[in-house]
Amino acid sequence: MGGQAAGRKEPDGAYGSPQKYDPSFKGPIYDRGCTDIVCCVLLVIAIVGYVVVGIVAWTHGDPRKVIYPTDSRGQFCGQQGTPNEKKPFLFYFDIVKCASPLVLLEFQCPTTQICVSKCPDRFMTYLSAYGSQVPAELEYYRHFCVPEFKNLQKGPIEVLKDKECPAMIIPSTPLVRRCFPAIQAKKGVIMVGNKTSYEDGRGRQRNVTELLEGAKKANVVLETRQLAMKIFEDYTVSWYWIIIGLVIAMVASLIFIVLLRFLAGIMVWVMIVMVILVLGYGILHCYMEYAKLKGEAGSDVSLKDLGFQTDLRVYLHLRQTWLAFMIILCIVEVVIILLLIFLRKRILIAIALIKEASRAVGHIMTSLLFPLCTFFLLCLCIAYWASTAVFLSTSNEAIYKVFSETPCQFSGQTCKPETFNMSNVTKLCPDAQCLFTFYGGETVYHKYLIVLQFFNVFMFFWLANFVIALGQVTLAGAFASYYWAFKKPDDMPAFPLFSAFGRALRYHTGSLAFGSLILAIVQVIRVILEYLDHRLKAADNKFAKFLLSCLKCCFWCLEKIIKFLNRNAYIMIAIYGTNFCTSARNAFFLLMRNIIRVAVLDKVTDFLFFLGKLLIVGSVGILAFFFFTQRIKLVQDTAPPLNYYWVPILTVIVGSYLIAHGFFSVYGMCVDTLFLCFLEDLERNDGSAEKPYFMSPDLKKLLKKTNKGQPDA
């Protein structure tokens, strides 16, 4: 059979173009065709629609609204080539009307807004400036009036009535190009410009705390901005050392994966022995404490008689407590020993599969770099989603409406400031004004902006899950080609990873779209539930909160289950080329028939990955800590001076974790793929000449399996 396997043209269903095995050979199904075509068509239509939404958003949106503040006439402050070029700051006539800085940043503060060259630096009312004997004060005040205001002799009552000038100005500081009250706290007292009260320009004295609601987050944002600048400085002087630390983490991750081939068994058995010894010591310690309390006063009181005590240390003086601990630990110890006795073979199989996965990764080294491709595609999805969201959110237009203090038939109607003074409205309603109301729109496009934003979020989840699914199918196909190669690695294709990638896109785009669509729907529902939970925080409806918490928990569990099913379905798709539902069903029942093996392998691999991440992240993190805190004498003068040494240390730690996670995700996909292939191999083949085993010699030796009539590959 060895000669036949070597001479026969290798099938490519698991790792190449769709062909069939010789009818005499009963292996995996290698016929391959396009699957879930309907979902593929839906994905293409959705992507085309997503592109159309992006184009429409980019046509109507204006990101300058995020960069430049806009005044009440929709003009940008500080933009070059405009009348406001030298007026970079936005000034609010009445900051008290702005509930919070979030309202300001969304350009919906219900007060007149103008662009100014600088923010006011003093308390002043228009009445006091108008009545001042110093002409310069009124001239200074005029900088904070609308640009059309030129007549300084106009009566103050008329000026305030026409809203040409603010009733007051207060000391302010520019923040994100907007003038916020210069609020500060001295000995717990809120002050603005060293004053605790101010005149509002209408004859009333008001406390400065009323300004706090309009700008209470301004100082926090300002401090955050200063912190960000210092962090940026730290990055500029330490970036190359951070890269060195990440390279060390990458090398350490690679070495750990290679060493798993030789040390996986040792690490697992050492862990098991350590658990048994720790439990044994716990039993011994409980017995010693139990014996030591013999004869002591009050130690023989039962737990039932003692009852509940808030001071838990009281229970440690009872013999019955230590007896209970000892019995519990003994039960746990016996259970673990019995599990080891009955599951020892399955543990050995798990270790052998982990070693085999290390060999597979060694033969397909490019698989370790494939997460970079997935990461790049995810970055594209995030960038497109974020840019589309920004353009959609800035698609609103400035809406102006007619306001009049006297009855007017045009009140509430939209208007245009450029032509308002020449319209019939001013003739019929002399005191009417065309004022900025909000940013929005009354066209069909603007009415459905929220729907487009929802579609944007939904497509982001769908495409992101599709990219992740594509990565999983590609890796599964590459590692399946390793397992189903009779002579490893001679019978493997020259470029297994690229072959698997092309096959996934060519035949299984629909299946990947189907699986990612189901997951995206669940994730969008979770986002909606989180939004509702945020809105209900202020409500006092306990039943609604309880129901919402239950729904959030259920959908969280559902998402985890779907991710597990999708992952194994993608592996079956890579092996057999069946559609998503068939693959998911076959994978699920295959795993259920081998549930004990699944549990053992899952826990063993979880332990090894946890140990690897802890070792890599901990080692690199400790090294970074000693280096950036200048505690290594050999390189003490090399470490850069920093404002916050935790900035590069945390960056290295987080980066090391992501790198280790990327390497181990590939390794985990390899283990899962080989495990499913191994189970299929056991169920479909019997070692005969017609149905030989494809598993490695180590696994065959462990299971006492042989291929009859031929030497092992």
Side-chain angles (χ1 to χ4, degrees), residues 35-94:
T35 56
D36 297 307
I37 299 175
V38 174
C39 290
C40 180
V41 174
L42 285 177
L43 178 64
V44 172
I45 294 174
I47 291 176
V48 172
Y50 198 21
V51 172
V52 171
V53 170
I55 294 173
V56 171
W58 298 336
T59 303
H60 290 80
D62 192 350
R64 291 178 301 175
K65 293 178 182 177
V66 178
I67 303 172
Y68 301 102
T70 52
D71 62 13
S72 294
R73 298 190 176 184
Q75 298 175 337
F76 298 109
C77 299
Q79 185 183 6
Q80 294 184 351
T82 65
N84 293 329
E85 181 177 357
K86 296 182 180 180
K87 299 178 179 180
F89 306 115
L90 188 68
F91 174 74
Y92 300 89
F93 271 28
D94 190 355

Side-chain angles (χ1 to χ4, degrees), residues 375-386:
F375 177 75
F376 174 73
L377 293 176
L378 283 175
C379 287
L380 288 181
C381 293
I382 294 171
Y384 188 87
W385 163 76

Side-chain angles (χ1 to χ4, degrees), residues 525-595:
I525 293 175
R526 287 195 63 201
V527 169
I528 294 173
L529 291 175
E530 290 292 341
Y531 172 76
L532 292 176
D533 184 46
H534 178 73
R535 294 296 299 268
L536 286 174
K537 280 185 177 179
D540 195 24
N541 193 330
K542 294 183 179 180
F543 175 76
K545 291 182 178 179
F546 171 76
L547 181 62
L548 201 57
S549 298
C550 292
L551 288 173
K552 287 169 61 179
C553 179
C554 291
F555 277 95
W556 179 85
C557 294
L558 181 61
E559 181 181 356
K560 296 298 179 184
I561 293 171
I562 291 176
K563 283 183 177 179
F564 174 79
L565 292 176
N566 282 8
R567 181 182 178 90
N568 290 285
Y570 296 148
I571 294 174
M572 298 299 279
I573 289 171
I575 297 173
Y576 293 112
T578 50
N579 61 47
F580 177 80
C581 292
T582 302
S583 300
R585 183 183 67 249
N586 293 340
F588 177 76
F589 286 115
L590 179 63
L591 293 174
M592 289 301 101
R593 291 193 297 270
N594 299 271
I595 188 64

